[in-house]
């Protein structure tokens, strides 16, 4: 991969220039753009290129390449669209077209152009507006061009004699700069509310995103001294709102020339403090850039927020033109992001009705719940993303679909759950509706009773009607961006989960994909079978120092019930137990007694940090695979934080994929264990020790996960002073060959111990193999009987039935065959076999191998019998173990590829009366 800046000039075309001129085909319609206009309208400032082989894993590599490139260029706004389009186009090239893919990213001042070229130019691509059908979105292929048409500003297809290139261009969204301006003089009661002492934290971030300066107000707000944080990345403290499928957005915000917005800072006590920030990018006299960050508490945002720009003049009103009611309420220009719009809405609603607090909730897709999205004058960190039912009780005041006025909440406690324990007494709420459908609820509350009547409800309803459509439009835009990020996130998650069949690795991937993208911490419970209880298998927190505390807590409380009902359900036990245990610990440290009534195991002992880590909302999602609950995925937030509905839906999608991957890993592990146990049963037990004879065996089965194949060996006692040995090769490899291996090895032992001679043993084995019928396989076998002699030699009686001949190495280095070839087993019914007698003198070696050794190949070369004999001649004076090891090493070095056939080596050496 190569990247480089090319200021002021066009990059060279990476495709071959020889041959016919390229034929350019572009879709008709608004998305099309003439080539000459496209090349002259902008200047290419950087390029990055990479090539990917026609392999399935190349698609994930291409996605990572595009994501890293665009993030590096600072184009986080268009990363998700670019990744989705690249994934489809590279899939078409490496999977469907079956060729390598060349990927080129071009950066300009107006956007990014990405080109994907394959080497299958004759594969026709249908064009937009053409009578050819582009394909259904539900099909495996054919979606790439539809996505280009839907997401890209411009796209097209180029043809050359050797390449076909599909390109698309994504334009950068316009970022409004927003100039500051003076505001009018206001009465004191209309000024925004702030604490007596307003603290403005001033933090300077150097070019490496590390904290370079930290003032006294920052120490007071967040609890850290300057020495504690200087040199640390701001991302270690910032709780930035994560969007699935994208990186941390604060790094992008720090590189913009100017930025304003909300996020959180994790204080020294572990609690997230909501702040409003204004960033300004500056450079010093040496040209080094840095970012100055001004931060205040979120409810004091008016101190830093850019004042609203009013109308340029009053001429419009004098001409009789009416002012837009929306702009009258919300101001102009309206915030371009949903959170900014909602926050400004609640602040304006509170000021309009002279309230002490205000809140805005958005309805879920099924209109059964409302989710808190913005508030002012309330503990927003505790309330954000909390959910309340739309229908909270009987009557009009129990439904969010109708305006409601509560003059005194102490008379009807719990009527507005959001205001419990906040000190608010009177409240007015009105619905937000679009085309008759409930989209949200807006409320204003005051600490005094009897503050609001139907008149205030009508005023607030009028304002809600003005902003409902804008809020719904901004919500749909945010939802679309989130879903695009979710699509990219799920694609990458599926690739990772499908890439392993290891259970432990699958558990780790599940946790790492959820933290911190979806949750602050997570725990995975697994269930072995229907009768087993859930078992805590994995725990992860974004702060590694808290993992042990959470694991200790969860291991000592009852696990959640394995309910197969889909969807997330609240699990409050961890937060309750952690807070009660921490409170008991604190009271004991103060010498106090009492505390919560629930009995907590003393050994839990969670610290305040652990209690804070699990003190927020905790949800449980079932892991269901093949109609069985195999575990639970538990996701948690720190104290006072809640999950948003879209994140829970994404977590549910992820849990379904993770459950299937975990079950596949379980099945693979079980079958591997069964296979290995059966294979080990086919191998002989430990080789017996034979006085006066050294024996060594090396066995390698071909195929991943195989311990036994078609080759086999055995050495066993027959009678006093006599031992039987065998080495054989069943036709083929794998389980079918291993089945005949087991038959042959056990039959040899039984027949030999009946006192039969070698030829009689093999003849009866031949009959047993033929009795298997269609399952029978021919077998080559070298069988012999070994008797050590008193003079230090050894006498062997050998029968070689179609097997590679055994080789005898003498002390003088000569090598000769120790038997003659005879017919193999499993083919003919009537065999006439005979045995040959061989005497091994002291120092002699008998080498027996299977054809996997002699038929080892490298291209057109083969080791062969002669090559094996040449290696054996170099083994004079070596022990049996050293001989076997040298033969195997020579076989492995003969070729670079992994062996395709089973191999067995049996070496026997007679050291004599006195060992060397």
């Amino acid at each position: 991969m190569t990247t480089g800046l090319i200021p002021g000039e066009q990059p060279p075309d990476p495709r071959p220039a020889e041959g016919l001129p390229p034929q350019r085909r572009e879709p008709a319609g608004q998305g099309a753009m003439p080539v000459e206009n496209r090349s002259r309208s902008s200047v290419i400032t950087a390029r990055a290129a990479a090539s990917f082989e026609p392999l399935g894993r190349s698609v994930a590599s291409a996605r990572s390449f595009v994501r890293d490139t665009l993030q590096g260029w600072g184009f986080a706004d268009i990363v998700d669209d670019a990744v989705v389009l690249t994934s489809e186009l590279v899939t078409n090239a490496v999977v469907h077209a079956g060729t390598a893919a060349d990927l080129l990213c071009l950066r300009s001042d107006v956007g990014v152009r990405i080109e994907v070229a394959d080497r299958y130019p004759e594969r026709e691509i249908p064009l937009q507006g053409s009578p050819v059908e582009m394909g259904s979105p539900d099909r495996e292929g054919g979606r790439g061009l539809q996505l280009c048409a839907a997401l890209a500003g411009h796209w097209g297809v180029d043809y050359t004699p050797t390449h076909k290139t599909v390109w698309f261009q994504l334009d950068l969204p316009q970022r409004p700069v927003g100039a500051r301006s003076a505001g009018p003089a206001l009465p004191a009661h209309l000024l925004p509310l702030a604490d007596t002492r307003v603290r403005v934290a001033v933090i300077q971030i150097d070019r490496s995103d590390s904290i370079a300066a930290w003032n006294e107000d920052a120490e007071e707000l967040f609890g850290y001294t300057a020495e504690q944080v200087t040199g640390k990345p701001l991302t270690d403290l910032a709780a930035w709102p994560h969007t699935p499928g994208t990186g941390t957005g604060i790094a992008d915000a720090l590189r913009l020339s100017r930025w304003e917005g909300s996020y959180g800072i994790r204080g020294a006590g572990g609690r997230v403090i909501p702040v409003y920030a204004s960033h300004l990018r500056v450079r010093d006299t040496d040209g080094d850039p840095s970012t100055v960050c001004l931060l205040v508490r979120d409810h004091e945002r008016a101190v830093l927020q850019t004042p609203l720009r009013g109308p340029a003049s009053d001429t419009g009103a004098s001409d009789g033109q009416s002012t837009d009611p929306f702009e009258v309420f919300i101001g102009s220009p309206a915030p371009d992001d949903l959170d900014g719009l909602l926050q400004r809405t609640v602040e304006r609603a509170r000021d309009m009705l002279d309230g002490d607090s205000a809140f805005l909730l958005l309805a879920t897709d099924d209109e059964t719940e409302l989710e808190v999205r913005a508030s002012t004058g309330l503990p927003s960190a505790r309330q954000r993303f909390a959910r309340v039912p739309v229908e909270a009780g009987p009557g009009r005041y129990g439904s969010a679909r109708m305006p409601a006025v509560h003059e005194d909440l102490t008379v009807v406690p719990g009527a507005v759950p959001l205001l419990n324990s906040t000190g608010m007494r009177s409240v007015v709420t009105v619905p937000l509706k679009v085309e008759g459908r409930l989209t949200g609820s807006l409320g204003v509350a005051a600490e005094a009773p009897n503050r609001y009547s139907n008149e205030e409800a009508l005023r607030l309803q009028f304002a809600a009607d003005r902003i409902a459509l804008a809020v719904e439009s901004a919500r749909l835009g945010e939802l679309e961006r989130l879903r695009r990020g979710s699509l990219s996130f799920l694609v990458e998650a599926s690739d990772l989960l499908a890439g392993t069949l290891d259970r432990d690795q699958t558990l780790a991937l599940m946790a790492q994909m959820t933290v911190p993208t979806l949750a602050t911490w997570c725990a995975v419970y697994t269930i072995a079978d229907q009768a087993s209880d859930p078992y805590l298998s994995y725990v992860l927190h974004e702060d590694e120092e808290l993992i042990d505390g959470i694991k200790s807590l969860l291991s000592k409380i009852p696990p959640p019930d394995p309910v197969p009902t889909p969807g997330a359900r609240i699990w409050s036990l961890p937060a309750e137990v952690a807070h009660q245990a921490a409170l008991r610990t604190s009271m004991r440290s103060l010498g106090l007694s009492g505390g919560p009534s629930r009995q907590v195991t003393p050994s839990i002992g969670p610290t305040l940090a652990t209690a804070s880590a699990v003190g927020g909302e905790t949800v449980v999602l079932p892991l269901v695979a093949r109609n069985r609950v195999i575990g639970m995925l538990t996701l948690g937030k720190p104290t006072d934080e809640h999950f948003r509905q879209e994140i829970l839906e994404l977590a549910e999608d992820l849990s379904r994929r993770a459950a299937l991957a975990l079950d596949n890993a379980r099945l693979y592990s079980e079958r591997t264990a069964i296979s290995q146990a059966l294979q080990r049963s086919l191998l002989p037990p430990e080789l017996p020790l034979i006085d006066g004879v050294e024996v060594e065996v090396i066995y390698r089965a071909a195929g991943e996960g195989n311990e036994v194949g078609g080759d086999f060996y055995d050495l066993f006692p027959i009678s006093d002073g006599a031992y039987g040995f065998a080495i054989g090769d069943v036709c083929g490899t794998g389980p079918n060959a291993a089945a005949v291996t087991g038959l042959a090895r056990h039959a040899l032992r039984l027949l030999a111990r009946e006192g039969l001679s070698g030829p009689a043993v093999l003849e009866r084995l031949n009959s047993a193999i033929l009795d298997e019928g269609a399952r029978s396989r021919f077998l080559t076998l070298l069988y012999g009987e070994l008797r050590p002699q008193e003079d230090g030699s050894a006498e062997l009686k050998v029968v070689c039935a179609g097997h590679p001949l055994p080789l005898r190495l003498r002390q003088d280095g000569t090598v000769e065959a120790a038997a003659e070839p005879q017919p193999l087993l499993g083919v003919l019914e009537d065999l006439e076999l005979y045995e040959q007698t061989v005497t091994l003198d002291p120092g002699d070696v008998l080498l027996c191998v299977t054809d996997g050794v002699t038929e080892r190949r490298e291209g057109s070369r083969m080791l062969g019998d002669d090559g094996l004999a040449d290696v054996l001649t170099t083994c004079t004076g070596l022990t049996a173990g050293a001989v076997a090891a040298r033969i195997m090493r020579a076989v492995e070095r003969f070729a670079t590829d992994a062996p395709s056939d089973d191999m067995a080596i049996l070496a026997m050496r007679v050291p004599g009366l006195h060992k060397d």
Side-chain angles (χ1 to χ4, degrees), residues 55 68 97 182 241 259 407-408 419 436 487 513 518 571 598 600 657 710 769 773 908:
L55 303 172
D68 294 342
W259 183 87
E407 297 178 348
D408 192 348
L419 300 180
L487 175 63
M513 285 184 294
L518 304 182
W571 188 33
R598 180 188 290 271
V600 181
R657 290 165 169 79
I769 294 174
M908 294 183 290

Side-chain angles (χ1 to χ4, degrees), residues 299-537:
H299 66 275
E300 297 174 339
R301 63 170 56 203
V303 176
L304 298 182
Q305 196 167 26
T306 302
L308 303 177
R309 291 179 297 186
S313 64
D314 296 332
T315 57
S318 62
D319 293 340
Q321 298 177 355
S322 61
T323 306
D324 184 358
F326 171 77
E327 292 188 359
V328 171
F329 178 73
I330 208 67
S332 178
D336 58 353
D337 64 299
L338 178 62
D339 288 337
L341 177 62
L342 299 183
Q343 190 62 40
R344 187 177 296 181
T345 298
V346 295
E347 291 172 356
R348 289 301 182 90
R350 178 198 60 187
D351 296 342
M352 183 178 70
L353 298 186
D354 194 21
D356 297 313
S357 64
F359 51 88
L360 193 150
L361 303 85
L362 295 183
T364 55
D365 291 340
D366 57 4
E367 298 184 30
T368 60
E369 289 186 312
L370 294 167
E371 187 176 67
V372 180
R373 291 300 302 269
S375 64
T376 182
L378 297 174
S380 57
R382 177 171 65 88
Q383 304 293 349
R384 186 168 171 81
F385 299 124
R387 288 174 296 281
V388 296
V390 170
E391 308 292 343
R396 61 169 295 181
Y397 295 125
S399 173
R401 302 181 187 276
M402 299 292 291
V405 177
H406 293 278
E407 297 178 348
D408 192 348
L409 290 176
T410 59
V411 178
V412 282
V416 183
L418 191 63
L419 300 180
N420 291 345
S421 304
T422 61
M424 300 298 159
R425 297 281 297 276
S426 56
V427 60
V428 53
T429 61
V430 296
L432 275 68
K433 293 185 177 181
V434 175
E435 298 179 352
R437 182 174 58 87
L438 180 68
T439 60
S441 178
L442 177 63
V444 178
E447 295 179 353
N450 303 313
R451 286 283 300 274
Y452 303 116
S453 63
N454 289 338
E455 181 181 353
E456 284 78 12
L458 289 174
R459 291 177 59 197
L460 188 61
Q461 184 67 71
F462 179 80
D465 293 341
R466 302 284 76 75
I467 58 102
L469 185 60
V471 168
E472 180 66 3
S473 176
R475 187 188 73 88
L476 292 176
E478 180 196 64
L479 187 60
E480 180 64 22
R481 290 190 295 272
L482 181 63
R483 285 175 176 169
R484 289 182 180 181
S486 300
L487 175 63
S488 178
F489 171 78
L490 289 175
V491 167
E492 294 188 8
S494 299
D495 281 351
L496 290 173
L497 291 171
T500 179
L501 286 173
D502 181 83
R503 176 183 176 276
D504 294 337
Q505 189 174 1
T506 302
L507 290 171
L509 285 174
M510 290 170 57
Q512 291 165 7
M513 285 184 294
T514 57
V515 176
T517 304
L518 304 182
T520 306
W521 65 271
C522 88
V524 183
Y525 290 86
T526 57
I527 303 176
D529 51 56
Q530 300 280 0
S532 301
D533 293 327
Y535 173 75
L536 181 63
S537 298

